[in-house]
Every structure is written in C-alpha cells, then in structure tokens.
C-alpha cells in the first residue's frame, strides 16, 4: 500500500513540513512530492473549446505519475490568507485538465479509490480560521471522488513555532499511528 504526501509550502523545512513529518516518520515507502520543486503551469481553461485542452509542456504529469497509484494522499499546505498556497491551488486546478486527458483515462475513478487528509499550519488562529480551508478541501474531495478522512491544523508563524503546538503535534502523532497500523495490516484503507 502506498501513501503520498503533496507539499504546498514555498519554504524549506517550514512548520507545515515539520508537522507532516510527525505523521509520516514511522511509515514505510512514503512518496513525497514537493510542488515547489516542479515547473508546472497554470491551467488554461479549455473545457468548452471544440478541441479540448492542448497538451502542456511542463512537469505536471510527473507529479500525477507519482501519486496516481497511492492509496492515501496527504495534502500538506501552510495557510496563506486563509486558504491553501497558490502552488497547491495551481496543482489542483490542473485536475480539470487531467480528468479530460486521454493519458489518464481513469483519473477520476482512481482518485475515488483514495483517502485524503489535510495538514495545514497558520499563524492567525488556524483552528478557527483554517476551517474554511478544510471546507474547501472537503468540497474538492467530494467533486473528484476522494474519500476525505480528516485534518490536522497547527498554529505557527515563525520557523519552528510548530514545535510549541502540543495539540497539533499530538494530533499528528495519532494520525501517524493510525496510518502505521493500517500499513502493518497491509492496507491503508
């Protein structure tokens, strides 16, 4: 069974990554995709064009190829202006193209076989104000068919602040333990 983490931070070793590490540190074979390390473009909406979407020459398909066979996806993003980061949003926006791409004819079906978790960290009362981000991901999961399973929200602003948020660290450890038990049973689902 495979677990994939999609990182949406633009900072190296940021608070969101540190919190995510608490979840995955004992899990085998985690596929980690750091979106900032890929050159992929914004979507050009051609859903209603006669010819559909044009092929895009970028690294987006490399990301999809890494996560398409994962059983569980963790979306790990800082909370920027009460939402996900722009790189995470750009990645998800491109799904509109992928569901119509003959290279991935069963994309939506495969996404419907996966579970999804969200890990997000913000500095302005994220346990209250981060709920809008959680709701947005819930709707995204419903639309694409992902089985939304839950979230971990942490509070941090400056580097390493997350290490002071015991509630978030405990929530992350519990999620990691749950996923580890499922992995030991041979099935994250």
């Amino acid at each position: 069974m495979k677990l994939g983490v999609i990182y949406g931070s633009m900072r190296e070793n940021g608070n969101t990554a540190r919190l995510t590490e608490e979840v995955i540190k004992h899990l085998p074979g985690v596929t980690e995709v750091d979106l900032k390390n890929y050159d992929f473009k914004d979507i050009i909406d051609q859903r209603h064009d006669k010819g559909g979407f044009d092929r895009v020459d970028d690294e987006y398909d490399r990301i999809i190829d890494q996560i398409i066979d994962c059983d569980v996806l963790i979306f790990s993003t800082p909370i920027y202006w009460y939402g996900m980061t722009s790189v995470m949003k750009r990645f998800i926006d491109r799904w509109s193209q992928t569901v119509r791409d003959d290279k991935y004819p069963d994309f939506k079906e495969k996404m419907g076989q996966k579970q999804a978790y969200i890990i997000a960290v913000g500095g302005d009362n994220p346990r209250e104000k981060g709920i809008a981000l959680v709701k947005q991901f819930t709707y995204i999961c419903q639309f694409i068919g992902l089985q939304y399973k839950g979230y971990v929200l942490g509070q941090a602003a400056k580097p390493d602040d997350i290490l002071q948020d015991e509630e978030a660290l405990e929530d992350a450890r519990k999620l990691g333990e749950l996923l580890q038990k499922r992995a030991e049973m041979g099935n994250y689902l």
Side-chain angles (χ1 to χ4, degrees):
M1 302 304 118
K2 288 179 65 176
L3 182 134
V5 178
I6 303 162
Y7 293 98
S9 180
M10 297 307 289
R11 182 187 302 166
E12 287 294 328
N13 303 312
N15 287 302
T16 308
R18 299 230 25 201
L19 186 58
T20 303
E21 299 271 323
E22 283 298 314
V23 174
I24 66 171
K25 67 183 176 184
H26 298 297
L27 298 174
V30 176
T31 299
E32 296 180 80
V33 176
D34 192 338
L35 295 175
K36 74 177 174 304
N37 295 331
Y38 292 84
D39 179 27
F40 64 100
K41 299 176 179 158
D42 291 330
I43 190 167
I44 297 174
D45 189 353
Q46 296 175 302
R47 289 175 295 161
H48 306 291
D49 291 6
K50 188 172 183 168
F53 285 95
D54 293 329
R55 287 261 175 234
V56 179
D57 185 21
D58 65 5
E59 296 179 316
Y60 171 80
D61 286 355
R62 284 186 49 215
I63 301 167
I64 295 299
D65 291 342
Q66 291 180 74
I67 67 162
I68 197 72
D69 292 324
C70 290
D71 302 298
V72 176
L73 296 176
I74 295 175
F75 295 89
S76 176
T77 181
I79 302 172
Y80 285 2
W81 292 99
Y82 312 100
M84 69 183 80
T85 61
S86 62
V87 70
M88 182 71 76
K89 182 69 168 74
R90 184 167 27 119
F91 170 67
I92 291 171
D93 283 349
R94 288 285 295 274
W95 292 359
S96 295
Q97 183 173 355
T98 309
V99 298
R100 293 164 177 82
D101 189 336
D102 57 3
K103 184 176 177 182
Y104 303 100
D106 55 356
F107 177 72
K108 195 166 183 179
E109 179 183 323
K110 283 192 172 192
M111 294 300 273
Q113 298 168 359
K114 301 177 192 325
Q115 293 183 349
Y117 293 88
I118 301 152
I119 299 175
V121 175
D124 184 15
N125 193 8
R127 288 183 184 81
E128 178 185 332
K129 297 178 180 180
I131 296 302
L133 167 72
V134 170
K135 198 66 166 168
Q136 181 183 28
F137 266 106
T138 303
Y139 291 138
I140 290 166
C141 289
Q142 287 173 359
F143 184 82
I144 200 70
L146 279 164
Q147 301 166 43
Y148 169 75
K149 298 307 264 183
Y151 64 89
V152 175
L153 293 176
Q155 180 153 349
K158 295 178 185 172
D160 296 330
D161 274 358
I162 195 62
L163 301 176
Q164 306 308 312
D165 187 343
E166 281 300 322
E167 183 179 345
L169 292 170
E170 182 61 23
D171 290 346
R173 287 183 198 113
K174 286 179 183 175
L175 177 55
E177 289 169 5
L178 173 72
L179 293 172
Q180 184 176 13
K181 285 178 188 172
R182 290 181 181 168
E184 289 168 359
M185 294 177 6
N187 190 348
Y188 280 117
L189 307 176

